[in-house]
Amino acid sequence: MDCSLAARLLKGVRAATLSGQRPQILPRPVIGESWNRMLRSGVDPDRDVRSGLLSPEELEERRQSSVLLEILPVLREALVTVADAAQHIMVVSDADGRILWREGSAAVLHKADRLGFEPGADWAEQTVGTNGVGTPLVTRRPVQVFSAEHFVMSLHSWTCTGAPITDPRDGQLIGVVDVSGPLETMHPATLSLVGTVAQLAEARLRERHAAALDRLRAVAAPVLARIGGRAVAVDVQGWTAAVTGMQPVDRIALPKSLSEFSELSDGRAWVPTLGMCAVAPLPGGWLLRPDGPDGAAEPLGGTRVVLDVSRPRSWSVTVTDGTRSWTHELSPRHAELLYLLALHRPGGRSASGLSEDMFGDPTRTVTVRAEMSRVRRYLGSLLGHRPYRFHEEAELEMVLPQSPADLLPHSVAPGVLRSRSAPPR
């Protein structure tokens, strides 16, 4: 590949796009969509406008509190030597796009300093435009950004390849691992390499999670053996370690209020799908003892459901019933499913209809049913099935982005793409 020729062609594509003309060669979809986001948000294509660096104390605090610290050895082992040999650097950012660590070629590190690509810097899309850190945070998939594919002109001498890392324990995006360097060092295989290493890091988190559940199970087993009635031991993300007197499930949605309980005292809390529970702390989790009978239905009269899909990287559903309220952070897939169901209220959507909306294929009903089963673990009777639908007695509100084009930017679901291309309200 002639990197210089490719860079010149991309400069022409970018110039035509920014001037409102249709370029002879269209940018790749992931790049074109990012450029459109930058144009809507007012990012200056001729210069980046940075927020200040984190102080050394703030940077160290973020490093020590980040889940990424647990997998940093995996990332280093897999990428630093390769990056150094290829005149690249490895960069690791948190979910806000703040650079936490970077390692690799000393010469390339010096060049990165001149670009402001340094620890503590903000490399979110809305700050420096399309890039290999901020763009994967929005799209939720690996992205390679070469030369003039960067929205901001000062980055055109650079190539970046980043992949998002998701914590499998709670589905939350925790950061990006990126390999970057001068444009002439770009290699197409870097995209596959970085994506594979991100998956390897996530696998390591799953292994650590399984070991932590085993430790919690060993602590909870003798406690549950002495309890009469229903009880379940869960970790802090709601994953079940042990259960007695009730049907086991993989995970229970926990209200945010549970984190406010003292680790030294018992309390009571309302837990979705379980109702009121006595709550006691366990090392690494909680012991929940429901009051009501197994499978007790949640009250629906006066229940209000707020589905918030207005943000580019995080989405939630909040349920309020009288004085009780709880919020659940949604995975990208669940945000898509609940949005599509909300569009088809009150009639709902069949499994094949949702499959068509999600994948453009009405036959992928097994996947849809499995995901909807997981959604019902925290929404319970608020979601009906055959067809899938929000309960008619619940008040539903959707919070949407100002522009339809900014709806769930990670999504490639046909039903979401149709909404995203709709004219502004």
Side-chain angles (χ1 to χ4, degrees):
M1 175 182 177
D2 187 333
C3 291
S4 297
L5 175 60
R8 289 195 298 272
L9 289 173
L10 285 170
K11 287 180 184 294
V13 171
R14 175 181 174 275
T17 302
L18 295 184
S19 64
Q21 302 173 11
R22 182 178 176 85
Q24 292 183 341
I25 303 174
L26 294 176
R28 293 183 293 132
V30 67
I31 299 300
E33 290 167 4
S34 177
W35 287 356
N36 287 334
R37 289 194 296 272
M38 300 306 94
L39 291 169
R40 290 194 300 273
S41 61
V43 173
D44 189 339
D46 297 321
R47 65 185 186 92
D48 57 54
V49 181
R50 300 178 185 277
S51 58
L53 288 175
L54 296 175
S55 69
E57 294 77 18
E58 291 172 322
L59 176 60
E60 187 59 25
E61 181 180 352
R62 288 207 184 202
R63 285 173 169 174
Q64 294 302 318
S65 62
S66 174
V67 177
L68 292 164
L69 188 62
E70 300 179 35
I71 54 175
L72 188 58
V74 176
L75 302 177
R76 282 174 169 154
E77 182 179 355
L79 288 177
V80 171
T81 301
V82 175
D84 195 2
Q87 299 183 34
H88 279 65
I89 57 174
M90 180 197 76
V91 175
V92 181
S93 86
D94 64 14
D96 295 326
R98 287 284 183 175
I99 306 302
L100 299 186
W101 295 277
R102 61 171 201 170
E103 301 177 27
S105 164
V108 179
L109 287 171
H110 183 65
K111 293 179 180 179
D113 287 339
R114 296 200 296 268
L115 293 172
F117 202 31
E118 57 189 311
D122 179 2
W123 275 67
E125 259 199 350
Q126 64 267 27
T127 302
V128 294
T130 308
N131 71 89
V133 171
T135 302
L137 286 173
V138 175
T139 63
R140 299 285 184 121
R141 59 186 183 270
V143 178
Q144 188 166 63
V145 184
F146 173 72
S147 185
E149 289 183 325
H150 289 92
F151 186 76
V152 176
M153 184 181 296
S154 60
L155 304 180
H156 288 185
S157 63
W158 209 246
T159 178
C160 303
T161 305
I165 301 175
T166 300
D167 190 337
R169 295 170 287 194
D170 58 11
Q172 296 300 303
L173 185 64
I174 56 176
V176 163
V177 60
D178 168 272
V179 170
S180 292
L183 68 86
E184 60 269 14
T185 64
M186 192 278 291
H187 195 287
T190 307
L191 184 64
S192 177
L193 172 64
V194 175
T196 299
V197 171
Q199 292 175 351
L200 181 64
E202 292 174 350
R204 180 61 56 86
L205 287 175
R206 277 190 290 272
E207 292 171 4
R208 294 174 69 95
H209 183 222
L213 277 179
D214 285 341
R215 292 192 295 270
L216 177 57
R217 189 173 296 114
V219 171
V223 177
L224 293 179
R226 298 192 300 268
I227 290 176
R230 301 164 62 216
V232 58
V234 298
D235 70 5
V236 293
Q237 284 94 19
W239 290 96
T240 301
V243 63
T244 184
M246 55 190 289
Q247 186 72 23
V249 295
D250 292 337
R251 190 180 183 191
I252 294 173
L254 301 179
K256 287 185 176 181
S257 59
L258 204 60
S259 62
E260 300 171 1
F261 279 74
S262 167
E263 295 183 0
L264 302 177
S265 62
D266 295 352
R268 296 179 62 75
W270 187 81
V271 178
T273 72
L274 294 182
M276 288 302 300
C277 294
V279 180
L282 292 172
W286 302 98
L287 177 66
L288 308 177
R289 300 180 64 184
D291 290 349
D294 193 6
E298 301 174 28
L300 290 171
T303 299
R304 185 166 182 263
V305 180
V306 178
L307 176 62
D308 187 345
V309 292
S310 63
R311 294 162 292 180
R313 300 202 303 266
S314 62
W315 318 277
S316 65
V317 60
T318 299
V319 178
T320 303
D321 175 25
T323 59
R324 301 178 304 198
S325 181
W326 56 271
T327 297
H328 183 76
E329 299 296 325
L330 298 172
S331 69
R333 178 61 55 80
H334 288 186
E336 291 169 323
L337 283 168
L338 290 179
Y339 170 75
L340 292 169
L341 281 183
L343 283 185
H344 291 91
R345 197 173 191 237
R349 204 78 168 120
S350 66
S352 62
L354 272 180
S355 180
E356 177 74 30
D357 291 341
M358 285 292 298
F359 309 111
D361 180 356
T363 67
R364 294 184 61 177
T365 56
V366 172
T367 302
V368 166
R369 290 191 177 101
E371 290 295 339
M372 290 305 299
S373 176
R374 297 184 181 101
V375 172
R376 293 194 62 180
R377 289 174 189 167
Y378 51 87
L379 286 182
S381 58
L382 289 169
L383 275 187
H385 60 101
R386 298 182 183 175
Y388 294 111
R389 66 198 183 281
F390 283 97
H391 199 286
E392 61 271 12
E393 292 185 23
E395 176 190 352
L396 175 65
E397 176 187 350
M398 267 206 298
V399 183
L400 301 170
Q402 288 187 340
S403 170
D406 292 326
L407 174 69
L408 301 174
H410 69 279
S411 179
V412 294
V416 175
L417 295 180
R418 287 192 293 270
S419 294
R420 202 185 291 158
S421 60
R425 299 182 300 277

